[in-house]
Amino acid sequence: MKKTYTMLVQNKPGCLDRIAGITRRYGWNIMSMVAAETPDTKVTRITISLECDKFCEWPDEAISKLGFVISMDVCEDEAYSFHEVLVARGSRKSFGTLLDSADRISEESGDECTVWWLGEDDYITGLEIKLNNIQEIKAVRSGPMALKR
């Protein structure tokens, strides 16, 4: 079973470590965890995707004991939009026609460029497979980010 949560937390040292500690305590596997800035520098948005055997609900008492969680939502598919970012770096020539589908391209020195794509899991996975077959390109993906519709 896979479950995705999004939460707003106080931007304090040790926050991610304590969240990871809870997942370890309950035997959940973290598939991805994305932390991002918000307009308020005292608050961070975290999206975490977990894989669990059966029971995959954050116990309220465990979250309340953390003390830094401001709000948390279960990301139900129909209420949330899920996207990922794929960032790759290489020569323009090595990207070939994949550059046509890029959401953003920034020029680097010489022929090098950094390329961004934004999309849903299937789209990003397809691009990642294509890019992994090109040895001259280094690519990384963010993991799912959830936004309430």
Side-chain angles (χ1 to χ4, degrees), residues 89-116:
R89 182 181 163 114
S91 70
R92 284 182 148 292
K93 182 180 173 186
S94 61
F95 283 107
T97 59
L98 291 174
L99 285 178
D100 297 338
S101 64
D103 291 299
R104 181 175 177 211
I105 304 170
S106 66
E107 302 299 325
E108 304 290 336
S109 60
D111 187 38
E112 293 286 307
C113 63
T114 302
V115 185
W116 287 262

mmCIF file of all heavy atoms in Angstrom, residues 89-116:
data_model
loop_
_atom_site.group_PDB
_atom_site.id
_atom_site.type_symbol
_atom_site.label_atom_id
_atom_site.label_comp_id
_atom_site.label_asym_id
_atom_site.label_seq_id
_atom_site.Cartn_x
_atom_site.Cartn_y
_atom_site.Cartn_z
ATOM 1 N N ARG A 89 21.522 17.578 -16.950
ATOM 2 C CA ARG A 89 22.593 18.435 -17.440
ATOM 3 C C ARG A 89 23.437 17.658 -18.446
ATOM 4 O O ARG A 89 23.758 16.486 -18.234
ATOM 5 C CB ARG A 89 23.460 18.893 -16.285
ATOM 6 C CG ARG A 89 24.546 19.828 -16.717
ATOM 7 C CD ARG A 89 25.383 20.219 -15.542
ATOM 8 N NE ARG A 89 26.611 20.759 -16.045
ATOM 9 C CZ ARG A 89 26.974 22.015 -15.910
ATOM 10 N NH1 ARG A 89 26.230 22.845 -15.244
ATOM 11 N NH2 ARG A 89 28.100 22.443 -16.428
ATOM 12 N N GLY A 90 23.750 18.329 -19.536
ATOM 13 C CA GLY A 90 24.572 17.719 -20.572
ATOM 14 C C GLY A 90 24.738 18.683 -21.727
ATOM 15 O O GLY A 90 24.322 19.845 -21.647
ATOM 16 N N SER A 91 25.310 18.197 -22.815
ATOM 17 C CA SER A 91 25.468 19.055 -23.996
ATOM 18 C C SER A 91 24.139 19.120 -24.739
ATOM 19 O O SER A 91 23.348 18.180 -24.700
ATOM 20 C CB SER A 91 26.562 18.507 -24.909
ATOM 21 O OG SER A 91 26.128 17.315 -25.525
ATOM 22 N N ARG A 92 23.923 20.242 -25.415
ATOM 23 C CA ARG A 92 22.691 20.394 -26.208
ATOM 24 C C ARG A 92 22.575 19.245 -27.208
ATOM 25 O O ARG A 92 21.501 18.703 -27.416
ATOM 26 C CB ARG A 92 22.685 21.730 -26.950
ATOM 27 C CG ARG A 92 22.376 22.908 -26.084
ATOM 28 C CD ARG A 92 22.358 24.162 -26.960
ATOM 29 N NE ARG A 92 21.423 25.158 -26.505
ATOM 30 C CZ ARG A 92 20.110 25.064 -26.513
ATOM 31 N NH1 ARG A 92 19.527 23.988 -26.937
ATOM 32 N NH2 ARG A 92 19.353 26.052 -26.092
ATOM 33 N N LYS A 93 23.681 18.880 -27.804
ATOM 34 C CA LYS A 93 23.695 17.816 -28.818
ATOM 35 C C LYS A 93 23.236 16.483 -28.217
ATOM 36 O O LYS A 93 22.473 15.744 -28.846
ATOM 37 C CB LYS A 93 25.102 17.693 -29.390
ATOM 38 C CG LYS A 93 25.247 16.671 -30.477
ATOM 39 C CD LYS A 93 26.677 16.624 -30.978
ATOM 40 C CE LYS A 93 26.850 15.480 -31.947
ATOM 41 N NZ LYS A 93 28.243 15.313 -32.355
ATOM 42 N N SER A 94 23.664 16.174 -27.003
ATOM 43 C CA SER A 94 23.313 14.885 -26.396
ATOM 44 C C SER A 94 21.825 14.761 -26.086
ATOM 45 O O SER A 94 21.275 13.671 -26.081
ATOM 46 C CB SER A 94 24.151 14.636 -25.134
ATOM 47 O OG SER A 94 23.910 15.623 -24.164
ATOM 48 N N PHE A 95 21.149 15.889 -25.842
ATOM 49 C CA PHE A 95 19.703 15.848 -25.562
ATOM 50 C C PHE A 95 18.889 15.582 -26.821
ATOM 51 O O PHE A 95 17.802 15.014 -26.749
ATOM 52 C CB PHE A 95 19.224 17.167 -24.935
ATOM 53 C CG PHE A 95 19.574 17.297 -23.489
ATOM 54 C CD1 PHE A 95 20.573 18.167 -23.083
ATOM 55 C CD2 PHE A 95 18.896 16.578 -22.523
ATOM 56 C CE1 PHE A 95 20.901 18.303 -21.746
ATOM 57 C CE2 PHE A 95 19.208 16.703 -21.186
ATOM 58 C CZ PHE A 95 20.224 17.576 -20.798
ATOM 59 N N GLY A 96 19.400 16.007 -27.963
ATOM 60 C CA GLY A 96 18.676 15.812 -29.222
ATOM 61 C C GLY A 96 17.279 16.419 -29.185
ATOM 62 O O GLY A 96 17.074 17.536 -28.712
ATOM 63 N N THR A 97 16.284 15.657 -29.629
ATOM 64 C CA THR A 97 14.908 16.163 -29.719
ATOM 65 C C THR A 97 14.219 16.278 -28.361
ATOM 66 O O THR A 97 13.149 16.872 -28.272
ATOM 67 C CB THR A 97 14.059 15.257 -30.632
ATOM 68 O OG1 THR A 97 14.060 13.940 -30.097
ATOM 69 C CG2 THR A 97 14.602 15.252 -32.052
ATOM 70 N N LEU A 98 14.818 15.723 -27.299
ATOM 71 C CA LEU A 98 14.207 15.850 -25.967
ATOM 72 C C LEU A 98 14.133 17.302 -25.513
ATOM 73 O O LEU A 98 13.299 17.662 -24.692
ATOM 74 C CB LEU A 98 14.988 15.024 -24.936
ATOM 75 C CG LEU A 98 14.881 13.508 -25.080
ATOM 76 C CD1 LEU A 98 15.811 12.817 -24.099
ATOM 77 C CD2 LEU A 98 13.455 13.047 -24.860
ATOM 78 N N LEU A 99 14.995 18.154 -26.069
ATOM 79 C CA LEU A 99 14.950 19.573 -25.716
ATOM 80 C C LEU A 99 13.632 20.223 -26.122
ATOM 81 O O LEU A 99 13.182 21.171 -25.490
ATOM 82 C CB LEU A 99 16.114 20.334 -26.369
ATOM 83 C CG LEU A 99 17.486 20.126 -25.756
ATOM 84 C CD1 LEU A 99 18.535 20.915 -26.538
ATOM 85 C CD2 LEU A 99 17.505 20.514 -24.300
ATOM 86 N N ASP A 100 12.992 19.690 -27.159
ATOM 87 C CA ASP A 100 11.724 20.261 -27.635
ATOM 88 C C ASP A 100 10.619 20.169 -26.586
ATOM 89 O O ASP A 100 9.708 20.988 -26.575
ATOM 90 C CB ASP A 100 11.263 19.559 -28.919
ATOM 91 C CG ASP A 100 12.238 19.767 -30.066
ATOM 92 O OD1 ASP A 100 13.013 20.744 -30.019
ATOM 93 O OD2 ASP A 100 12.230 18.938 -30.994
ATOM 94 N N SER A 101 10.689 19.170 -25.711
ATOM 95 C CA SER A 101 9.639 18.990 -24.703
ATOM 96 C C SER A 101 9.991 19.619 -23.355
ATOM 97 O O SER A 101 9.208 19.543 -22.406
ATOM 98 C CB SER A 101 9.364 17.494 -24.508
ATOM 99 O OG SER A 101 10.514 16.854 -23.981
ATOM 100 N N ALA A 102 11.147 20.258 -23.255
ATOM 101 C CA ALA A 102 11.604 20.822 -21.977
ATOM 102 C C ALA A 102 10.727 21.993 -21.540
ATOM 103 O O ALA A 102 10.233 22.764 -22.357
ATOM 104 C CB ALA A 102 13.045 21.277 -22.096
ATOM 105 N N ASP A 103 10.551 22.113 -20.216
ATOM 106 C CA ASP A 103 9.826 23.250 -19.664
ATOM 107 C C ASP A 103 10.738 24.445 -19.457
ATOM 108 O O ASP A 103 10.296 25.585 -19.478
ATOM 109 C CB ASP A 103 9.172 22.864 -18.325
ATOM 110 C CG ASP A 103 8.036 21.885 -18.539
ATOM 111 O OD1 ASP A 103 7.073 22.259 -19.228
ATOM 112 O OD2 ASP A 103 8.123 20.741 -18.048
ATOM 113 N N ARG A 104 12.033 24.168 -19.249
ATOM 114 C CA ARG A 104 12.986 25.260 -19.055
ATOM 115 C C ARG A 104 14.374 24.770 -19.443
ATOM 116 O O ARG A 104 14.754 23.647 -19.135
ATOM 117 C CB ARG A 104 12.984 25.708 -17.597
ATOM 118 C CG ARG A 104 13.921 26.836 -17.318
ATOM 119 C CD ARG A 104 13.817 27.330 -15.898
ATOM 120 N NE ARG A 104 14.795 28.366 -15.707
ATOM 121 C CZ ARG A 104 15.396 28.604 -14.561
ATOM 122 N NH1 ARG A 104 15.091 27.908 -13.496
ATOM 123 N NH2 ARG A 104 16.284 29.558 -14.467
ATOM 124 N N ILE A 105 15.117 25.637 -20.105
ATOM 125 C CA ILE A 105 16.494 25.343 -20.480
ATOM 126 C C ILE A 105 17.347 26.524 -20.064
ATOM 127 O O ILE A 105 17.008 27.671 -20.364
ATOM 128 C CB ILE A 105 16.650 25.120 -22.003
ATOM 129 C CG1 ILE A 105 15.719 24.006 -22.477
ATOM 130 C CG2 ILE A 105 18.097 24.843 -22.372
ATOM 131 C CD1 ILE A 105 15.640 23.879 -23.993
ATOM 132 N N SER A 106 18.431 26.259 -19.350
ATOM 133 C CA SER A 106 19.360 27.346 -19.037
ATOM 134 C C SER A 106 20.713 27.005 -19.638
ATOM 135 O O SER A 106 21.179 25.868 -19.549
ATOM 136 C CB SER A 106 19.470 27.567 -17.532
ATOM 137 O OG SER A 106 20.054 26.458 -16.905
ATOM 138 N N GLU A 107 21.303 27.994 -20.278
ATOM 139 C CA GLU A 107 22.598 27.807 -20.918
ATOM 140 C C GLU A 107 23.690 27.812 -19.861
ATOM 141 O O GLU A 107 23.626 28.555 -18.897
ATOM 142 C CB GLU A 107 22.845 28.928 -21.930
ATOM 143 C CG GLU A 107 21.797 29.024 -23.012
ATOM 144 C CD GLU A 107 21.687 27.777 -23.865
ATOM 145 O OE1 GLU A 107 22.710 27.121 -24.124
ATOM 146 O OE2 GLU A 107 20.566 27.446 -24.271
ATOM 147 N N GLU A 108 24.649 26.969 -20.058
ATOM 148 C CA GLU A 108 25.824 26.928 -19.190
ATOM 149 C C GLU A 108 27.018 27.315 -20.056
ATOM 150 O O GLU A 108 26.855 27.850 -21.141
ATOM 151 C CB GLU A 108 25.980 25.509 -18.613
ATOM 152 C CG GLU A 108 24.772 24.994 -17.864
ATOM 153 C CD GLU A 108 24.520 25.701 -16.543
ATOM 154 O OE1 GLU A 108 25.475 26.261 -15.968
ATOM 155 O OE2 GLU A 108 23.378 25.688 -16.089
ATOM 156 N N SER A 109 28.194 27.009 -19.618
ATOM 157 C CA SER A 109 29.380 27.331 -20.396
ATOM 158 C C SER A 109 29.481 26.410 -21.611
ATOM 159 O O SER A 109 29.137 25.230 -21.544
ATOM 160 C CB SER A 109 30.627 27.195 -19.525
ATOM 161 O OG SER A 109 30.724 25.875 -19.049
ATOM 162 N N GLY A 110 29.935 26.978 -22.714
ATOM 163 C CA GLY A 110 30.097 26.196 -23.941
ATOM 164 C C GLY A 110 28.786 25.635 -24.436
ATOM 165 O O GLY A 110 27.781 26.335 -24.518
ATOM 166 N N ASP A 111 28.777 24.347 -24.734
ATOM 167 C CA ASP A 111 27.591 23.673 -25.269
ATOM 168 C C ASP A 111 26.717 23.075 -24.168
ATOM 169 O O ASP A 111 25.665 22.519 -24.424
ATOM 170 C CB ASP A 111 28.055 22.572 -26.235
ATOM 171 C CG ASP A 111 26.902 21.931 -26.982
ATOM 172 O OD1 ASP A 111 25.964 22.662 -27.354
ATOM 173 O OD2 ASP A 111 26.940 20.703 -27.175
ATOM 174 N N GLU A 112 27.160 23.172 -22.892
ATOM 175 C CA GLU A 112 26.430 22.579 -21.769
ATOM 176 C C GLU A 112 25.149 23.357 -21.468
ATOM 177 O O GLU A 112 25.096 24.573 -21.603
ATOM 178 C CB GLU A 112 27.298 22.577 -20.507
ATOM 179 C CG GLU A 112 28.498 21.671 -20.589
ATOM 180 C CD GLU A 112 28.140 20.208 -20.486
ATOM 181 O OE1 GLU A 112 27.445 19.826 -19.525
ATOM 182 O OE2 GLU A 112 28.561 19.444 -21.364
ATOM 183 N N CYS A 113 24.119 22.629 -21.014
ATOM 184 C CA CYS A 113 22.883 23.271 -20.577
ATOM 185 C C CYS A 113 22.237 22.423 -19.482
ATOM 186 O O CYS A 113 22.518 21.238 -19.336
ATOM 187 C CB CYS A 113 21.922 23.498 -21.741
ATOM 188 S SG CYS A 113 21.338 22.013 -22.555
ATOM 189 N N THR A 114 21.385 23.060 -18.700
ATOM 190 C CA THR A 114 20.596 22.380 -17.689
ATOM 191 C C THR A 114 19.145 22.464 -18.136
ATOM 192 O O THR A 114 18.677 23.533 -18.533
ATOM 193 C CB THR A 114 20.773 23.030 -16.297
ATOM 194 O OG1 THR A 114 22.168 22.980 -15.969
ATOM 195 C CG2 THR A 114 19.989 22.285 -15.238
ATOM 196 N N VAL A 115 18.445 21.332 -18.068
ATOM 197 C CA VAL A 115 17.094 21.234 -18.623
ATOM 198 C C VAL A 115 16.135 20.735 -17.542
ATOM 199 O O VAL A 115 16.476 19.828 -16.791
ATOM 200 C CB VAL A 115 17.080 20.260 -19.829
ATOM 201 C CG1 VAL A 115 15.720 20.230 -20.483
ATOM 202 C CG2 VAL A 115 18.161 20.636 -20.833
ATOM 203 N N TRP A 116 14.939 21.346 -17.477
ATOM 204 C CA TRP A 116 13.914 20.967 -16.509
ATOM 205 C C TRP A 116 12.660 20.498 -17.233
ATOM 206 O O TRP A 116 12.244 21.084 -18.234
ATOM 207 C CB TRP A 116 13.493 22.171 -15.655
ATOM 208 C CG TRP A 116 14.465 22.617 -14.637
ATOM 209 C CD1 TRP A 116 14.461 22.316 -13.315
ATOM 210 C CD2 TRP A 116 15.584 23.488 -14.834
ATOM 211 N NE1 TRP A 116 15.504 22.946 -12.678
ATOM 212 C CE2 TRP A 116 16.208 23.664 -13.591
ATOM 213 C CE3 TRP A 116 16.125 24.124 -15.952
ATOM 214 C CZ2 TRP A 116 17.334 24.453 -13.418
ATOM 215 C CZ3 TRP A 116 17.256 24.900 -15.780
ATOM 216 C CH2 TRP A 116 17.834 25.051 -14.526
#
